[in-house]
Amino acid sequence: MINRFIIISLIILIKIVQPAQAKQVFNFDVTEIEILNDGNLFKGIKRGTVTTDDGIILTADNFEYNKILNILQASGNVIVEDTIKNIQIFSENIVYLKNQEIIFGKKGFKAIDGDTIIKGNEFEYKKIYEILNAKGKVEINNKKDDYQIYSEDISYFKSDEKFVTKGETIAIVQSVYDFNSEDVTFLKKEMKLFSSKKSTLFDD
């Protein structure tokens, strides 16, 4: 018989620590949890929260944690909040590679960093390097500073406050300047936009 137990209709808290690396800690606060494979596989359902000791708060309808691989999967109205880097990510599903500190998802997402909103079809967030890469109909929108950027592939370097696009790119700045180019770099602080490729600029 499979070694498992189920606790139903209770809010429970479980801390999972990988002995080899003290930083790899998950705290589960879920309604229902199922533990399988001799304690190496955890499944949480009916909505809950998973936190880490390094500032990640992850809320979702369902969780699956592989203790051996140190990989957490979450699905259903997923919200990831990096409380140290001050960035939020919303998605239908994510995979968290804890050893590499990489979170990615492939079914639509939205990220919020202050006044900047990033939307796309899929994303990869490298927590250690503070880099968020978005692909597939990516939109960057900042109403406060009044700019929008559209491309199929955009990387956001949070610590440098810089966006780098790949391929065709449209940028609208201050609702007046319409910039069309490829492989564009945009510096948020300086409000500078540039590319080494052929570009066109329309001024209303």
Side-chain angles (χ1 to χ4, degrees), residues 39-57:
N40 291 315
L41 183 65
F42 290 72
K43 292 184 177 182
I45 60 174
K46 296 183 180 178
R47 199 73 182 167
T49 301
V50 175
T51 61
T52 69
D53 290 355
D54 54 358
I56 294 291
I57 301 174

Side-chain angles (χ1 to χ4, degrees), residues 5 46 51 61 73 83 85 100 139 162 192-193:
F5 64 87
K46 296 183 180 178
T51 61
D61 293 339
Q73 298 183 58
T83 59
K85 309 300 182 182
Q100 292 80 31
E139 302 177 14
K162 176 177 69 174
K192 289 183 178 179
L193 190 69

Side-chain angles (χ1 to χ4, degrees), residues 50-72:
V50 175
T51 61
T52 69
D53 290 355
D54 54 358
I56 294 291
I57 301 174
L58 201 158
T59 306
D61 293 339
N62 304 290
F63 298 96
E64 182 173 301
Y65 174 60
N66 187 312
K67 186 178 178 182
I68 296 175
L69 299 177
N70 209 17
I71 296 175
L72 176 69

Side-chain angles (χ1 to χ4, degrees), residues 99-110:
N99 292 340
Q100 292 80 31
E101 291 294 352
I102 294 174
I103 302 172
F104 63 88
K106 293 187 176 182
K107 193 179 178 182
F109 86 102
K110 177 175 72 174

Side-chain angles (χ1 to χ4, degrees), residues 108-119:
F109 86 102
K110 177 175 72 174
I112 300 176
D113 178 36
D115 298 307
T116 302
I117 298 176
I118 305 169
K119 294 181 180 180

Side-chain angles (χ1 to χ4, degrees), residues 78-82 85-92 94 103 108-125 131-135 138-142 147 154-156 158 163 188:
V78 183
I79 304 172
V80 181
E81 183 178 1
D82 188 335
K85 309 300 182 182
N86 295 317
I87 188 169
Q88 287 182 306
I89 297 172
F90 304 82
S91 182
E92 277 304 306
I94 65 98
I103 302 172
F109 86 102
K110 177 175 72 174
I112 300 176
D113 178 36
D115 298 307
T116 302
I117 298 176
I118 305 169
K119 294 181 180 180
N121 291 337
E122 59 184 85
F123 77 96
E124 180 182 80
Y125 176 51
I131 299 174
L132 175 68
N133 174 252
K135 293 182 179 180
V138 186
E139 302 177 14
I140 311 294
N141 194 339
N142 187 310
Y147 64 79
I154 302 179
S155 292
Y156 175 40
K158 180 175 168 57
F163 292 102
K188 286 178 61 179

Side-chain angles (χ1 to χ4, degrees), residues 167-198:
E168 295 182 6
T169 303
I170 297 173
I172 302 171
V173 182
Q174 297 177 349
S175 303
V176 175
Y177 303 103
D178 191 333
F179 183 78
N180 292 261
S181 187
E182 297 181 30
D183 303 342
V184 173
T185 298
F186 176 62
L187 306 180
K188 286 178 61 179
K189 283 185 177 180
E190 296 88 344
M191 290 293 286
K192 289 183 178 179
L193 190 69
F194 54 88
S195 171
S196 60
K197 300 294 181 66
K198 181 179 179 180

